[in-house]
Amino acid sequence: MTRKTLSIEINGQVRAAEVDPRLTLADLLRHEFDLTGTHLGCEHGVCGACTVLLDGRSVRSCLMFAVQADGKKVTTVEGLGGDANGLSVLQRAFREHHALQCGFCTPGMLATLTELLIDNPDPTEGEVREVITGNLCRCTGYAGIVSAALDAARRIRAGEI
Ligand code: FES
Ligand code: FES
């Protein structure tokens, strides 16, 4: 199979690779670039654990070929951080509201909710719950995740970075 050369900006850094056309974006991130914060659960688009941002929009990295991201910007959980501890407001809110237990769903949840808070900085609880219907969590019961998202939205609107 002819290998393809691609160049992707990942978490602000341009990365190049030569890959098989059938390689998924998730496998590129995890195996070529060691960005193992992107998790793989179902590997067929159901669980949301592999969600990353592609040009600012959430995508299932298990359902995309790496070559489809050529020339685009990808943000993984490793690139979401903002403060001196490397955590965004949303990540800090997750920690404070006990929005994670095993953490397997967390990178995907954070990507999905980061997109929501950019699109809609003042979401209702219903809007938060609706947007995470595509991200499965087996541990938390979702209550902490919803509180964290609503609290992060309040704090971002108040100017916290
Ligand atoms: Fe991609 Fe489950 S691993 S949606
Ligand atoms: Fe364990 Fe969500 S914290 S799956």
Side-chain angles (χ1 to χ4, degrees), residues 99-106 136-140 145:
L100 62 147
Q101 290 179 28
C102 78
F104 196 84
C105 69
T106 310
L136 303 183
C137 177
R138 293 186 168 211
C139 304
T140 64
I145 294 170

Side-chain angles (χ1 to χ4, degrees), residues 76 86 116 161:
T76 69
L116 171 70
I161 54 171

